[in-house]
Amino acid sequence: MTNLAFIGAGKMAEALIAKLNKENNILAADINASRLQYLKKRYKIKVTKDNNEAFKSGDIVILAVKPQQMGEVLEELRPTTNDQRPTTLIISIAAGITLAYLQKRLPGFAVIRAMPNNPCLIGMGVTAMVKGKNVSSKQVKQAKAIFSKVGEVYYVVEHLMSAVTGLSGSGPAFVYQTIDALALGGREAGLPKNLAEKFALQTVIGAAMTVKTTGKTPAELTAMVASPGGTTIEGLKRLEKYELPRALKEAVTAAAKKSASLSRI
């Protein structure tokens, strides 16, 4: 069994632990004692408040801390990383933290940068990954196997990671907002709140799965629904009037720009 160590034990770490704990030896480190006890009880894993203890234990170490905390955590780990033979694979899931930043502070180690998204919590996510210069083909496969447990995985070149963060990293929030807006429209049209929410949710799920399973483009499927002079056309006219496509595009690009700014941390 592989020894996996998590430094940071938030929701994304938990999503991975839930899928990996039966096939791996897992040790999770966090400053929150109650969080650690919850994970220990629920998933039967080992826990510690000592980041260095976790780092030393792992064949693979997943840095699951916030971008703003990364510098402090790596500084705390420096005595261990200086002494330890760099055969460990280190995977960072902190948005905006570049390979150059990580490799400078973890010299000689194999480092992968990953960007999973919120739907990984239910195994329906997507993760983008970039591998560093010391990563072996075996370690590439190991990293892909980890994130494949919670969704689809794609390797990209690093300069695309900010765009990935803006689209798949932040995008779920834009979809959640869209579901809320559709439900509100249903309520204003006369549906009870609970029915409006159910219809809005299933409509978004069904539409997404139709794109995925039919192989047709969103434009082609829109044309199938939008009969000339029909109800959908009236709604589409409002989307054009209030520039929903433009708003979503701007939301993605704004999130991508913010991610790029974090890369300078």
Side-chain angles (χ1 to χ4, degrees), residues 119-132:
C120 287
L121 299 179
I122 61 162
M124 293 290 290
V126 61
T127 300
M129 291 198 293
V130 184
K131 68 183 184 71

Side-chain angles (χ1 to χ4, degrees), residues 72-258:
E72 179 182 349
V73 167
L74 293 179
E75 184 62 26
E76 180 185 347
L77 292 174
R78 186 163 59 164
T80 297
T81 58
N82 284 345
D83 294 340
Q84 188 163 327
R85 186 180 177 184
T87 56
T88 303
L89 170 62
I90 301 172
I91 304 173
S92 167
I93 62 172
I97 302 299
T98 64
L99 281 176
Y101 180 97
L102 294 164
Q103 289 176 157
K104 181 178 180 180
R105 289 156 181 80
L106 297 162
F109 281 88
V111 180
I112 286 176
R113 177 183 172 189
M115 184 67 238
N117 69 351
N118 184 260
C120 287
L121 299 179
I122 61 162
M124 293 290 290
V126 61
T127 300
M129 291 198 293
V130 184
K131 68 183 184 71
K133 58 187 177 182
N134 295 315
V135 180
S136 69
S137 58
K138 177 183 177 181
Q139 289 170 325
V140 167
K141 292 178 181 178
Q142 288 177 313
K144 186 172 183 179
I146 287 171
F147 290 95
S148 292
K149 293 286 188 180
V150 292
E152 298 182 5
V153 179
Y154 300 96
Y155 274 91
V156 300
V157 292
E158 189 168 25
H159 76 266
L160 297 179
M161 284 295 274
S162 290
V164 167
T165 302
L167 178 54
S168 67
S170 300
F174 310 150
V175 176
Y176 303 148
Q177 290 285 296
T178 301
I179 293 169
D180 264 349
L182 288 170
L184 179 59
R187 290 168 60 188
E188 292 190 357
L191 286 173
K193 182 176 184 291
N194 67 323
L195 274 181
E197 290 173 349
K198 289 177 181 178
F199 274 92
L201 177 59
Q202 190 57 39
T203 296
V204 171
I205 293 172
M209 290 304 297
T210 303
V211 175
K212 185 170 185 176
T213 59
T214 65
K216 294 183 181 297
T217 67
E220 289 171 332
L221 291 167
T222 298
M224 289 173 62
V225 180
S227 303
T231 59
T232 304
I233 289 291
E234 288 302 306
L236 290 172
K237 288 178 181 177
R238 297 303 190 278
L239 295 185
E240 292 177 6
K241 178 180 178 180
Y242 295 107
E243 297 186 317
L244 177 64
R246 179 180 177 184
L248 289 174
K249 181 190 74 172
E250 291 293 329
V252 171
T253 56
K257 288 177 182 177
K258 180 63 175 178

